[in-house]
Amino acid sequence: MKYIYFVLLAIFVMLFAATPAASLDPSEPIIHYSDSVVERDTKLSLAQGYTLHIVDINEDNGDVWVEIRHNGKLVEDGEGSGKENDPFEYILTIEAEDDDDEDEEYLIFRVTPKELVTSGTDTATRIRIEQFRDPTRDTKDFLMYDISDSVNVGEEMDLEEGYTLSASDLDVDEETITVTLKKNEHVVKEVKEMEPGDIFSYYKNVNGEVRTIFIATVYDFFESSESHILFLKEMSQREDVNVESTVEIRVEGVKESIIRDGEKAIISYELENDASKVTISLDDKIIDVRNDVDAGTYPTLTEELDRGTHDVIIETVSIDGSVSSKETSFTVDGASSIGDSVPGDSISVPDQIEDIIQDGENVTGDVSDSAGDITKSTAFTYIVVAALLALTAFFFKREFS
């Protein structure tokens, strides 16, 4: 009988040894969630002063070697490898002040490689990054932090800095819903068929900083004959990073570079990046609107223009909802069509008109003087001719008398 106990004990020990240790529960709430492609030696600045460094990538399977730094300093136990089935986890340990108390542990980062994208010189892999709150760091840079709220399906929830959140396409049987995030009425992120427990995250990668602008966890749905509601938890929002669209403007005449009174003009703009919307205003009147505009150059023809100075404003809404504008001006009838700045030695339109009038007056004066001279000269000629005729007649009379 004792042998049976021994065998059972041995089986239990082997099963326990073969079972992987359970992952530490994260320190809620989640404050960053991204799923993106990264290359070797990529450094990503994340929330609460942390930096994630992708030191190396395995060219065969996409496994990563990572380092976690805080304010530039490598944290304790903050480096190691991450595999798809065995992600890298950075666990913060806070030692107990009392020997009788246990140390506290918090899961701060989980980095999970998903698939190898490219290999060779430009090795890149797709990774999932999850960052959870560090209880020892402040959250002062959050506009909204760890909020639970709800939104009626078909309606919008107002957030900070012009953002709104809405829900649609609720399917109670399938337990799915569509979540949409807008900024300035433009869609910046939409995820369909989200389920309870899924994380909705919108982030920007600007100059190496991956900033989570908004994040929330889909908690539950409710449907009745009176209402349809989406419940959210762990909602957090950080200050936005506006990415201005680079725009170059050129204005010229249809026939020549100078735009004359009563003629049309061509306003051309060149976009460096794609834009959700581009609007051209001439003298505070919208003359052209385009949506989903690719990078490139686009011309717009104006109506016939009157003499004077005209102002052009081109407003662009980037794909991330950032709004930026650029202004220029040009003059009609005598001035160069591009008028952002007038050269110091150039003459303004009124001065040019005044010079033309003065030149005309000078020409008229010269013509008058010349005509007077001609008149005087003609009279003198008549007198001379008359004198000659008189002398001739005198000689003829004397000769034949």
Side-chain angles (χ1 to χ4, degrees), residues 270-288:
E270 182 179 356
L271 291 178
E272 182 177 325
N273 303 309
D274 297 348
S276 295
K277 185 177 181 181
V278 179
T279 303
I280 301 180
S281 297
L282 178 63
D283 299 331
D284 297 327
K285 180 181 178 181
I286 296 177
I287 63 172
D288 187 73

Side-chain angles (χ1 to χ4, degrees), residues 63 109 126 150-151 192 212 227 235 253 255 264 284 290 294 346 349 353 378:
D63 293 348
F109 278 98
R126 181 178 296 278
S150 63
V151 57
K192 300 179 182 294
T212 296
S227 59
M235 291 174 50
K255 299 179 181 179
K264 298 181 179 181
D284 297 327
R290 305 189 190 203
D294 296 331
S346 64
V349 173
I353 296 173
T378 302

Side-chain angles (χ1 to χ4, degrees), residues 88-255:
F88 169 80
E89 293 184 341
Y90 165 55
I91 298 174
L92 173 66
T93 301
I94 302 177
E95 296 182 357
E97 297 180 359
D98 195 329
D99 294 338
D100 295 333
D101 297 332
E102 296 182 357
D103 296 342
E104 295 181 343
E105 293 185 336
Y106 298 91
L107 174 61
I108 307 300
F109 278 98
R110 180 185 290 132
V111 182
T112 310
K114 303 302 294 182
E115 61 176 329
L116 183 67
V117 177
T118 59
S119 188
T121 305
D122 301 322
T123 301
T125 189
R126 181 178 296 278
I127 62 172
R128 177 179 298 159
I129 304 172
E130 298 166 275
Q131 181 183 1
F132 303 91
R133 178 183 61 94
D134 181 343
T136 66
R137 315 289 179 187
D138 62 56
T139 55
K140 291 188 298 184
D141 62 336
F142 284 84
L143 301 174
M144 176 193 304
Y145 176 71
D146 194 18
I147 302 297
S148 296
D149 208 337
S150 63
V151 57
N152 293 327
V153 175
E155 298 180 3
E156 288 187 338
M157 173 194 300
D158 291 330
L159 303 173
E160 302 291 337
E161 297 188 328
Y163 280 93
T164 59
L165 185 79
S166 61
S168 60
D169 302 330
L170 173 60
D171 189 328
V172 177
D173 295 332
E174 296 293 332
E175 292 190 323
T176 61
I177 197 168
T178 297
V179 180
T180 305
L181 183 70
K182 293 182 180 181
K183 181 176 182 181
N184 298 323
E185 300 300 323
H186 295 274
V187 176
V188 297
K189 179 85 178 271
E190 184 173 82
V191 181
K192 300 179 182 294
E193 298 182 351
M194 297 199 74
E195 301 176 353
D198 288 348
I199 297 170
F200 182 92
S201 176
Y202 171 62
Y203 59 92
K204 293 182 180 180
N205 192 333
V206 182
N207 299 325
E209 179 183 2
V210 181
R211 174 181 286 266
T212 296
I213 305 301
F214 178 81
I215 190 170
T217 300
V218 175
Y219 179 64
D220 201 359
F221 318 128
F222 176 79
E223 182 183 37
S224 71
S225 59
E226 299 295 332
S227 59
H228 301 71
I229 303 174
L230 166 65
F231 294 95
L232 300 165
K233 68 174 184 176
E234 297 180 348
M235 291 174 50
S236 296
Q237 183 180 355
R238 296 176 70 192
E239 185 177 353
D240 199 358
V241 179
N242 289 327
V243 182
E244 293 190 358
S245 299
T246 302
V247 180
E248 296 297 332
I249 308 174
R250 184 176 66 258
V251 185
E252 58 188 358
V254 175
K255 299 179 181 179

Side-chain angles (χ1 to χ4, degrees), residues 379-394:
F380 177 75
T381 301
Y382 287 154
I383 294 172
V384 172
V385 170
L388 289 173
L389 290 174
L391 287 173
T392 302
F394 174 76

